[in-house]
């Protein structure tokens, strides 16, 4: 799910994040005729660079990375299916992973702890919404259990974006 990685491996990003959803949805349709809900974990990366924040579900998608393009394509695919009970979750940036320092919060902390002279943080002025991994898991659980939300696109997060430099 690394946006940065998708720039150097776009075909892999497309195969996993777009074709993976196509294959799973087609298999679900064939094997599970009474499927109650297909939950697609998408990303706020589908929005790309927007002129205003916070992000909201009815904004035009303008992905700026292969990862976001693939996630947006997967969403469009699901929306094109007739009588398919999908829910799309566009996740904000989560933090709190114990064994992965490729995401911005974990990267900053890891590099500070290792006393590196320069801390890699991408665009320091970029504004992102962050929430903890247990809150993300709770959001997923609610999306699985909440009745009547099929066909909806739902953003996650706090609605309070912060710049990377302020986070630092």
């Amino acid at each position: 799910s690394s946006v940065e990685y998708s720039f150097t491996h776009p075909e892999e990003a497309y195969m996993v994040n777009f074709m993976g959803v196509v294959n799973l949805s087609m298999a679900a349709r064939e094997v599970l005729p009474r499927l109650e809900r297909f939950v697609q974990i998408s990303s706020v990366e589908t929005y790309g660079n927007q002129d205003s924040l916070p992000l909201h579900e009815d904004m035009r998608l303008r992905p700026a990375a292969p990862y976001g393009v693939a996630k947006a394509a997967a969403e469009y695919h699901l929306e094109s299916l007739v009588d398919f009970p999908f829910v799309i979750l566009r996740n904000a940036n989560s933090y709190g992973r114990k064994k992965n320092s490729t995401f911005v919060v974990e990267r900053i902390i890891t590099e500070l702890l290792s006393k590196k002279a320069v801390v890699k943080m991408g665009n320091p002025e970029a504004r992102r919404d962050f929430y903890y991994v247990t809150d993300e898991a709770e959001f997923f659980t609610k999306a699985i259990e909440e009745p009547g939300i099929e066909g909806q696109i739902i953003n996650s997060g706090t609605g309070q974006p912060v710049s990377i430099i302020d986070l630092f």
Side-chain angles (χ1 to χ4, degrees), residues 70-86:
K71 288 290 194 178
E75 290 186 17
Y76 290 136
H77 163 72
L78 292 174
E79 290 176 326
S80 76
L81 299 177
V82 176
D83 295 324
F84 191 75
F86 69 87

Side-chain angles (χ1 to χ4, degrees), residues 18-166:
F18 172 56
M19 289 308 300
V21 172
V22 170
N23 293 334
L24 284 171
S25 63
M26 295 294 98
R29 200 170 218 178
E30 184 178 318
V31 177
L32 302 167
R34 294 189 183 127
L35 176 67
E36 291 181 35
R37 183 170 299 154
F38 184 97
V39 179
Q40 165 60 12
I41 308 301
S42 190
S43 171
V44 294
E45 286 293 329
T46 58
Y47 293 112
N49 300 316
Q50 296 288 335
D51 297 327
S52 65
L53 294 173
L55 301 171
H56 48 88
E57 291 85 349
D58 59 350
M59 287 179 143
R60 180 176 167 259
L61 301 184
R62 297 171 30 186
Y67 175 79
V69 170
K71 288 290 194 178
E75 290 186 17
Y76 290 136
H77 163 72
L78 292 174
E79 290 176 326
S80 76
L81 299 177
V82 176
D83 295 324
F84 191 75
F86 69 87
V87 172
I88 296 169
L89 306 180
R90 290 188 185 143
N91 292 347
N93 295 269
S94 61
Y95 64 94
R97 296 166 193 82
K98 293 188 178 7
K99 297 185 183 197
N100 188 334
S101 61
T102 61
F103 295 86
V104 67
V105 172
E106 291 87 345
R107 179 184 298 159
I108 289 171
I109 292 169
T110 301
E111 291 185 8
L112 285 171
L113 289 172
S114 68
K115 299 182 179 356
K116 288 196 175 185
V118 176
V119 176
K120 252 175 70 176
M121 63 175 82
N123 175 1
E125 299 305 321
R127 294 174 56 79
R128 301 284 183 263
D129 192 341
F130 295 95
Y131 71 140
Y132 195 64
V133 291
T134 55
D135 296 324
E136 181 177 50
E138 184 179 323
F139 175 63
F140 292 165
T141 301
K142 284 183 179 179
I144 291 167
E145 297 173 348
E146 185 70 26
I149 62 169
E150 292 78 17
Q152 291 188 36
I153 297 171
I154 306 167
N155 286 351
S156 70
T158 66
Q160 299 173 350
V162 62
S163 72
I164 303 302
I165 194 67
D166 287 345

